Amino acid sequence: CTMRRLAPLLLSLTLALTLAASGCGGPTEVLDPVSIGEPFELGVGEAVVVRDRQLTLAFVLVLEDSRCPTDSLILCVWAGRVRLRLASAPLSGDQALHEIHLGDEPSVIPLGDLRLELLEVLPAARLERIPDRDYRARFVLTVAP
């Protein structure tokens, strides 16, 4: 029973150490576990454990943010997109890096029998560069059809 409670913590610590060692970002803060089907939010440098799946997901960094600024009088002909780098690590397996984006067509990351979908990225784009620490992304995990 104790091992069952420690496994997600050990997995999260392994992912955090791996990310730090690989230069993929700073320290990873592990948030409360998330459930399949319930939206959850991550900031850069945060990770979650998926309940009942022995899987950890981490928001590593923002790769691109070319969305049309909301604080501008500029008329955009293309809404732009935002691309994020995520990491996943099952309890018994290697860490994998993923790219997910919002823009012309939303992307979904397959994770075994699960699908991770990016729902929203905040804050809205603006003319001034947004510091990575200010980004928040909303996701949902569903069972793949």
Side-chain angles (χ1 to χ4, degrees):
C1 187
T2 303
M3 186 57 185
R4 190 176 291 162
R5 279 187 261 147
L6 286 177
L9 178 60
L10 293 173
L11 175 63
S12 300
L13 291 173
T14 301
L15 178 63
L17 292 173
T18 304
L19 288 174
S22 66
C24 290
T28 302
E29 179 184 350
V30 181
L31 306 178
D32 291 335
V34 299
S35 298
I36 296 168
E38 293 181 16
F40 62 95
E41 193 173 292
L42 287 175
V44 174
E46 294 179 342
V48 292
V49 174
V50 180
R51 281 191 179 95
D52 304 322
R53 292 300 171 123
Q54 309 276 325
L55 176 69
T56 299
L57 300 170
F59 182 175
V60 180
L61 60 96
V62 178
L63 295 168
E64 170 192 354
D65 189 353
S66 62
R67 298 173 294 167
C68 189
T70 58
D71 62 348
S72 164
L73 297 177
I74 298 170
L75 179 61
C76 297
V77 291
W78 181 54
R81 69 178 179 176
V82 60
R83 293 184 312 130
L84 312 178
R85 167 77 34 91
L86 305 177
S88 66
L91 187 57
S92 58
D94 294 329
Q95 170 193 323
L97 294 176
H98 311 276
E99 184 180 309
I100 194 166
H101 68 270
L102 278 179
D104 31 354
E105 52 185 72
S107 64
V108 173
I109 298 173
L111 299 167
D113 67 335
L114 299 176
R115 295 168 24 120
L116 179 68
E117 182 179 354
L118 177 58
L119 301 174
E120 179 181 27
V121 176
L122 297 170
R126 49 186 185 235
L127 286 173
E128 185 178 303
R129 185 188 174 283
I130 301 168
D132 281 357
R133 69 180 177 278
D134 291 351
Y135 279 93
R136 305 287 306 164
R138 289 186 64 237
F139 302 93
V140 67
L141 276 165
T142 54
V143 176

